[in-house]
């Protein structure tokens, strides 16, 4: 079952992530073409090499997104997908691109998630009330609109906080250990020039002293919205071998969806990234012990804790001890989110998960500079969309 | 920026109408699958276990326990700016189904996962009653 490991990430591009974006504003399509050009250049490929594309929504069009992007880029493709998996989108893009390449229907696939601000509209329409509901649907007939939103359970913070509170009741909870997780990741982010918190580490005391947002989650355990975005180019092995950098081959993936709102989860503390990761490891013929670094989707600290457990890096209920006993920094014994994660980079909307993919490729390519994990050959990546409702996993390995 | 937004209210559908009508009468009603026995919440047209269409409404006690909670110290959206702190709850009814609600008449320091809860029928207007919970 699965991939043979014949497709690799060969090029990457990433906008510096900034809390206050001061550069020129660009439409999503303009960012798409820019990121594509940068990623192809990084790989040593040319525009005409592209024959596949994976996108998500763009601000300029509500539908026909792939065709709109293809036309703008001027690159006809044999394979086009639009992914709607929230924070799991980036990982979902990469495995679909690898699968399409292995099917032989395309050789070079671009996956981009632009997230810089677009130009201010000189003729703005009325404010869309939908925006106040963030990721929750207020449409009539939406179960959320009827049974969750009216009670105030919407957006992300409350759902993740309730998962953390349940975890605390079942397995125990140590705020200092969660603060240590943030401090380790922010130490990594402090070394990353593309991170919003470049040069800005925090201490355990800083995290514990930050404002309580939704018990037990504090401000510094929650991602900060930023401008950013990134892209990767994947290529078939025979193309990858001609590229400028060592390829990061996709040897395993998994994806699992269960619910939209965690109220209806069978078990809030056993998350979909479990089955997704199990499939990814089995496909790659690897175990969690084989991993040199883990780039774990980190919208909140609780997401990392549960992913460490459910992906099998430690047992259920052992995540707190695992974080306490391991040095998660780049030079540590178990490097996690070597780019700082989204807690260190900032979260550029649904593009946040692309930072984990880009950094994983960078590490396998040996291009992470001060953050480079020595002898890094195998990297685990996870993606999380919604409130632990749709999750994905990826294994990248040097060719 | 201060935004005054109307509180979003449930808009019953033909399928869910018996649930909301039950609350108007001070009763908690759930669907149960005649074929596999599963209790179903939220209301659906088919069973979420076996996809059977044979669902029947039953009155239940409303007795529940607290599966989890959070205390939102910042409003979860501008609509709830006046409700902070929000005592958001996931409540497990005795039948095993879970629902989203909020806790009322509760001392914040006494909220515990697993605590016993009783239903509170809170009239919103002539046509709508919301289901909240208090310590039993
Ligand atoms: Zn059934």
């Amino acid at each position: 079952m699965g991939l043979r490991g014949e497709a690799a990430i060969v090029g990457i591009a990433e906008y510096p992530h900034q809390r206050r974006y001061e550069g020129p504003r660009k439409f999503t399509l303009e960012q798409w073409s820019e990121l594509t050009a940068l990623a192809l250049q990084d790989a040593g490929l040319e525009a005409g090499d592209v024959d596949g594309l994976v996108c998500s929504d763009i601000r300029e069009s509500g539908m026909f997104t792939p065709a709109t992007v293809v036309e703008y880029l001027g690159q006809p493709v044999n394979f086009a997908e639009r992914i709607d998996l929230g924070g799991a989108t980036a990982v979902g893009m990469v495995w679909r691109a690898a699968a399409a390449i292995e099917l032989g229907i395309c050789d070079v696939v671009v996956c981009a998630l632009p997230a810089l601000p677009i130009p201010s509209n000189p003729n703005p329409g009325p404010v869309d009330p939908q925006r106040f509901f963030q990721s929750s649907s207020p449409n009539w007939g939406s179960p959320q609109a009827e049974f969750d939103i009216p009670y105030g359970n919407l957006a992300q913070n409350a759902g993740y906080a309730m998962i953390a509170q349940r975890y605390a009741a079942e397995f125990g909870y140590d705020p200092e250990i969660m603060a240590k997780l943030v401090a380790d990741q922010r130490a990594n982010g402090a070394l990353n020039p593309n991170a919003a918190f470049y040069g800005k580490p925090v201490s355990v005391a800083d995290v514990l002293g930050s404002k309580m947002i939704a018990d037990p989650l504090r401000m510094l355990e929650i991602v900060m919205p930023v401008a950013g975005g990134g892209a990767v180019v994947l290529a078939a092995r025979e193309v990858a071998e001609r590229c400028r950098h060592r390829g990061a081959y996709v040897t395993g993936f998994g994806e699992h969806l269960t619910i939209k709102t965690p109220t209806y989860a069978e078990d809030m503390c056993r998350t979909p990234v479990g089955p997704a990761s199990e499939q990814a490891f089995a496909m790659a013929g690897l175990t969690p012990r084989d991993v040199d670094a883990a780039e774990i989707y980190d919208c909140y600290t609780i997401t990392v804790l549960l992913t460490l457990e459910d992906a099998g890096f430690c047992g259920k209920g052992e995540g707190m001890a695992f974080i306490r006993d391991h040095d998660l920094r780049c030079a540590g014994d178990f490097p996690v989110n070597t780019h700082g994660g989204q807690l260190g980079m900032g979260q550029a909307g649904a593009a946040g998960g692309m930072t984990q993919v880009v950094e994983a490729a960078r590490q396998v390519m040996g291009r992470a500079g001060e953050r480079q994990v020595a002898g890094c050959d195998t990297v685990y990546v996870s993606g999380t969309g919604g409130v632990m409702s749709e999750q994905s996993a990826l294994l990248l390995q040097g060719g | 920026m201060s935004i005054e937004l109307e509180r979003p209210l449930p808009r019953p559908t033909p399928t869910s109408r018996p649930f909301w009508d039950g609350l108007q009468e001070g009763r908690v009603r759930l669907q149960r699958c005649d074929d596999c026995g599963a209790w179903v919440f939220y209301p659906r047209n088919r069973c979420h276990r076996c996809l059977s269409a044979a669902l029947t409404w039953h009155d239940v006690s409303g007795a529940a326990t607290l599966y989890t909670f959070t205390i939102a110290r910042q409003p979860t959206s501008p609509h709830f700016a006046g409700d902070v702190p929000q005592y958001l709850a996931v409540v497990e009814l005795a039948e095993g189904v879970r629902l989203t609600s909020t806790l009322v008449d509760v001392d914040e320091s006494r909220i515990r996962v697993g605590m016993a809860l009783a239903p509170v029928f809170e009239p919103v207007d002539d046509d709508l009653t919301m289901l909240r919970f208090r310590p039993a």
Side-chain angles (χ1 to χ4, degrees), chain A residues 146 148 152 162 213 215 263 265, chain B residues 16 20 68 70 73 76 98 100:
Chain A
E146 193 171 355
D148 300 298
M162 288 198 281
I213 302 295
D215 303 39
T263 297
Chain B
S16 67
W20 296 106
T68 191
T70 189
R73 316 244 169 219
T76 54
R98 292 194 205 123
T100 295

Side-chain angles (χ1 to χ4, degrees), chain B residues 33 35-38 47 49-52:
Chain B
C33 177
D35 286 324
C36 79
C47 171
R49 294 264 179 262
C50 73
L51 291 178
S52 164

Side-chain angles (χ1 to χ4, degrees), chain B residues 9-124:
Chain B
L9 292 174
R11 286 179 290 164
T13 66
T15 300
S16 67
R17 174 59 68 187
F19 175 78
W20 296 106
D21 286 350
L23 296 184
Q24 285 280 82
E25 298 160 17
R27 294 186 295 166
V28 179
R29 273 191 202 150
L30 290 181
Q31 289 170 306
R32 189 173 200 183
C33 177
D34 297 339
D35 286 324
C36 79
W39 290 97
V40 177
F41 188 88
Y42 42 81
R44 289 166 165 90
N45 67 336
R46 283 181 180 265
C47 171
H48 66 297
R49 294 264 179 262
C50 73
L51 291 178
S52 164
L55 301 179
T56 303
W57 288 96
H58 297 268
D59 284 4
V60 299
S61 70
T65 55
L66 184 61
Y67 182 78
T68 191
F69 70 98
T70 189
I71 302 170
R73 316 244 169 219
Q74 300 223 316
T76 54
S77 76
H79 315 85
F80 297 92
D83 294 1
V84 174
Q86 296 164 261
Y87 300 144
L88 295 167
V90 174
V91 168
E92 186 168 297
L93 294 178
E95 291 71 26
V97 300
R98 292 194 205 123
L99 45 89
T100 295
S101 189
T102 60
L103 302 180
V104 295
D105 303 328
V106 66
D107 170 355
E108 169 175 316
S109 66
R110 308 201 140 191
I111 302 175
R112 295 281 182 276
V113 168
M115 71 194 289
L117 300 172
V120 174
F121 301 91
E122 183 195 85
V124 176

